[in-house]
Amino acid sequence: MDEGTASSYYQPIPDKIPLKMRINLLRRVNYWKLVPLFKLLNGKRYKREAEFLITVGLIQTLRFGVPIKYEIKNGIASFDISPNLGENYLNYSRGKMTGKIEDDTRDLVNSIATIEARIKTKTSLILY
């Protein structure tokens, strides 16, 4: 470089910051603190999903644009999040089913709320 300053130190500041670039305030909150709030707001849906999961054994869907998979196999419930648009899944929670419907439903509701809180606070590994 001859004279002057490096241009990489100076970047134009936009007048309006796009929505997707704004600070995610939930990122500053520990995900486990959101679980009770999520259960309060979405408790009915979580209960329906838990009952469906007990009956069918698999839920695969998108939550907040992130692929998730809830599965019960051989008495073990696993809750997975995909970091790469569904190519593979990483296990974020796992638990043994007790066989008591009320206890299992309550535990599944808590696990579903925990997974959604992890996704919303961005504490899960997302590669894309």
Side-chain angles (χ1 to χ4, degrees), residues 69-117:
K69 180 171 68 171
Y70 306 145
E71 186 174 27
I72 298 176
K73 192 183 279 186
N74 299 325
I76 305 290
S78 63
F79 300 85
D80 307 331
I81 302 172
S82 175
N84 49 12
L85 295 173
E87 286 183 33
N88 27 358
Y89 288 85
L90 300 175
N91 182 257
Y92 279 89
S93 181
R94 181 174 297 214
K96 187 171 176 129
M97 303 294 286
T98 64
K100 299 177 185 172
I101 299 296
E102 288 181 22
D103 293 343
D104 288 341
T105 302
R106 186 179 58 248
D107 292 343
L108 292 172
V109 164
N110 190 60
S111 295
I112 292 169
T114 301
I115 291 298
E116 289 192 9

Side-chain angles (χ1 to χ4, degrees), residues 13-124:
I13 299 173
D15 293 332
K16 290 185 177 182
I17 299 174
L19 180 62
K20 64 182 176 182
M21 299 206 43
R22 291 183 189 164
I23 296 174
N24 178 2
L25 296 178
L26 290 179
R27 201 171 203 167
R28 298 172 188 255
V29 178
N30 293 324
Y31 74 88
W32 60 85
K33 291 182 179 178
L34 288 178
V35 171
L37 176 64
F38 278 27
K39 286 174 23 180
L40 181 67
L41 295 174
N42 304 317
K44 289 180 182 178
R45 177 173 57 88
Y46 294 159
K47 186 171 182 184
R48 282 192 313 269
E49 288 179 354
E51 290 168 348
F52 183 79
L53 185 59
I54 289 171
T55 304
V56 176
L58 177 68
I59 295 177
Q60 246 179 316
T61 188
L62 291 175
R63 287 287 181 253
F64 312 111
V66 177
I68 58 166
K69 180 171 68 171
Y70 306 145
E71 186 174 27
I72 298 176
K73 192 183 279 186
N74 299 325
I76 305 290
S78 63
F79 300 85
D80 307 331
I81 302 172
S82 175
N84 49 12
L85 295 173
E87 286 183 33
N88 27 358
Y89 288 85
L90 300 175
N91 182 257
Y92 279 89
S93 181
R94 181 174 297 214
K96 187 171 176 129
M97 303 294 286
T98 64
K100 299 177 185 172
I101 299 296
E102 288 181 22
D103 293 343
D104 288 341
T105 302
R106 186 179 58 248
D107 292 343
L108 292 172
V109 164
N110 190 60
S111 295
I112 292 169
T114 301
I115 291 298
E116 289 192 9
R118 289 191 75 130
I119 292 170
K120 199 66 173 167
T121 58
K122 308 234 185 276
T123 56
S124 58

